[in-house]
Amino acid sequence: MPADASSPIPAALDQLRAHRAPASAEVPGLLERLTDVPDPRDPRGVRHALAVVLTLTACAVLAGATSLLAVGEWIADAPDAVLEQLGIRPDPVMPQRSRPAETTVRRLLARIDADALDVAVGRWLADRRTRPSKPTALQGLAVDGKSLRGAARADGRKIHLLAALDHTSGLVLAQLDVGEKTNEITCFQPLLETVADLAGAVVTTDALHTQRDHATYLLGRGAHYIVIVKGNAKKLRAQLKALPWKDIPLQGRVKGVGHGRSEIRRIKAATVNNLLFPGARQAIQLKRRRTDRRTGKTTIKTVYAVTSLSAEQAAPTQLAALIKDHWKIEALHHTRDVTFAEDASQLRTGNAPRAMATWRNLAIGAHKLNGATNIAAGLRRTARDPHRPLTLLGLA
């Protein structure tokens, strides 16, 4: 039954109910996804629907807001037409009561179910990611962690988030808080459990996640892996180093320039049937020759890896590209730090720091989906047009 006109709860609730269950052929919109996030507030006296408050917060971050104060200012300045598109009715007597205050947003994000919020945002992005156009194309998924250096718990512990990023689109499909009594290794499987469709993906990780249980889990989900092998897997590394690499021909050579250095990457891969790792089909040797363009100093580093992909499923050049593209997740971290000043943020209350990291992931993803190659420029453009965030989120 529609809400009465005098109800403090906005008409957005009726709008959300009307669209809560889209047809199976439809892709759920952001409002639909956000209605799955539990509302931590007492329903008595609630004026603004949770999904609406969250969407307005997302819009502010898409326009470049880096703090909750800036989020509140964006909402306060948003035109009535923007609010009306979300179902918020203007109050002619007390206009400011029509929109959530900064204190409302702050309290709400501190108490929000951050796991549910990450799932909602991750699945909204996953629904819109680019799929490989060729059946033989490989879709990489990078898993890596990042600490929020400026944010800390009451006991001083840094907040550390583990995330999964799609190589092709650069979208964050999942994020999880690495709690005080756990670590990245134990959070690996719970993180990927929130990714609805993992079959066929090639999960890339750093050496920390070269874990037998991880490999078994991924194979059970119908996924593949490429893992770097270092000292935490001594027997496997010794086995890889002992292979007759000198007798294996060079199978790929790529040159690159960036970050003040030139690099040559050489790759060799070999099918080995008795590798000491579950499901491993190929051994990989990657040699990186890097030259500092300022000093002229050259370093050569040999990296070993194993993959569950067979030689028929992945050529050496494809393996090299997947290993290189894993570091796109570091580029995401750099954008959050430099463009959104994430590490400088002193936000520490409850789940608010993690929620803001989620909104940054969403903002970066929405801009990428719109074709942006420079996120800072995308934020500036969006800041000039208060209607643009709704367009980027598919709500206008």
Side-chain angles (χ1 to χ4, degrees):
M1 179 176 180
D4 185 80
S6 62
S7 171
I9 301 177
L13 282 178
D14 298 325
Q15 176 184 336
L16 295 179
R17 291 191 189 101
H19 298 286
R20 180 67 183 270
S24 58
E26 295 178 358
V27 176
L30 184 62
L31 282 170
E32 286 78 22
R33 287 296 189 190
L34 292 178
T35 55
D36 292 331
V37 179
D39 194 333
R41 301 170 295 179
D42 187 321
R44 294 173 296 180
V46 169
R47 178 171 293 275
H48 305 287
L50 175 66
V52 172
V53 179
L54 295 178
T55 301
L56 285 171
T57 306
C59 287
V61 178
L62 258 75
T66 60
S67 66
L68 289 182
L69 177 61
V71 168
E73 291 172 344
W74 188 92
I75 295 174
D77 293 339
D80 288 342
V82 170
L83 303 180
E84 288 171 3
Q85 283 186 283
L86 294 176
I88 298 178
R89 297 172 180 171
D91 187 329
V93 179
M94 302 183 68
Q96 288 306 312
R97 294 188 65 186
S98 301
R99 56 192 74 210
E102 183 257 335
T103 52
T104 299
V105 176
R106 186 178 295 273
R107 288 194 298 265
L108 189 56
L109 292 189
R111 299 172 56 200
I112 200 72
D113 183 333
D115 287 338
L117 180 62
D118 267 318
V119 169
V121 170
R123 290 186 175 171
W124 184 85
L125 290 169
D127 289 338
R128 289 154 181 81
R129 63 174 164 163
T130 304
R131 297 286 184 173
S133 56
K134 298 180 180 179
T136 56
L138 299 172
Q139 186 122 16
L141 188 67
V143 174
D144 194 29
K146 180 187 185 299
S147 292
L148 308 184
R149 296 180 183 177
R153 304 293 186 193
D155 59 2
R157 182 182 67 85
K158 298 294 184 184
I159 296 172
H160 189 78
L161 303 176
L162 187 65
L165 175 136
D166 179 71
H167 286 197
T168 305
S169 61
L171 305 179
V172 176
L173 307 186
Q175 183 173 264
L176 193 67
D177 184 10
V178 178
E180 180 181 4
K181 296 182 179 180
T182 184
N183 55 46
E184 280 194 24
I185 294 173
T186 55
C187 288
F188 180 86
Q189 293 185 27
L191 171 77
L192 294 180
E193 279 295 314
T194 66
V195 179
D197 183 13
L198 201 60
V202 183
V203 177
T204 61
T205 69
D206 58 20
L208 176 66
H209 293 286
T210 305
Q211 305 289 332
R212 297 177 64 86
D213 288 346
H214 290 4
T216 301
Y217 168 77
L218 292 172
L219 295 172
R221 291 282 307 270
H224 289 284
Y225 62 78
I226 299 178
V227 294
I228 304 300
V229 181
K230 291 186 177 180
N232 61 328
K234 293 181 180 179
K235 291 184 179 180
L236 178 59
R237 181 172 173 80
Q239 184 185 30
L240 293 176
K241 290 183 69 175
L243 292 175
W245 293 109
K246 290 183 179 180
D247 300 330
I248 299 172
L250 182 67
Q251 294 157 313
R253 184 175 184 272
V254 179
K255 290 184 177 181
V257 177
H259 305 289
R261 67 192 181 204
S262 60
E263 181 180 76
I264 300 175
R265 301 162 66 92
R266 297 179 174 89
I267 188 169
K268 295 181 179 182
T271 299
V272 182
N273 295 322
N274 62 343
L275 288 170
L276 303 175
F277 203 71
R281 304 291 298 278
Q282 293 191 80
I284 302 165
Q285 184 196 67
L286 186 68
K287 284 195 174 184
R288 300 181 182 135
R289 180 187 177 94
R290 291 175 175 170
T291 302
D292 188 305
R293 303 180 73 188
R294 183 176 61 85
T295 65
K297 181 180 179 181
T298 297
T299 58
I300 299 175
K301 184 177 182 180
T302 301
V303 177
Y304 294 100
V306 294
T307 180
S308 60
L309 292 161
S310 67
E312 292 74 25
Q313 292 171 315
T317 52
Q318 289 177 293
L319 297 176
L322 285 164
I323 293 171
K324 182 180 179 182
D325 286 349
H326 171 76
W327 300 109
K328 287 183 177 180
I329 196 166
E330 293 292 344
L332 167 83
H333 297 163
H334 179 78
T335 300
R336 280 175 27 188
D337 286 340
V338 175
T339 306
F340 288 95
E342 182 169 88
D343 278 352
S345 173
Q346 297 295 309
L347 185 61
R348 300 186 175 192
T349 306
N351 287 327
R354 176 180 171 185
M356 286 299 287
T358 302
W359 295 134
R360 293 173 192 126
N361 290 339
L362 175 64
I364 293 168
H367 282 293
K368 284 182 177 292
L369 288 170
N370 193 59
T373 55
N374 184 314
I375 300 301
L379 296 178
R380 291 193 296 271
R381 180 184 177 189
T382 305
R384 296 192 295 268
D385 179 3
H387 297 271
R388 184 168 171 76
L390 292 180
T391 301
L392 293 176
L393 295 174
L395 298 172

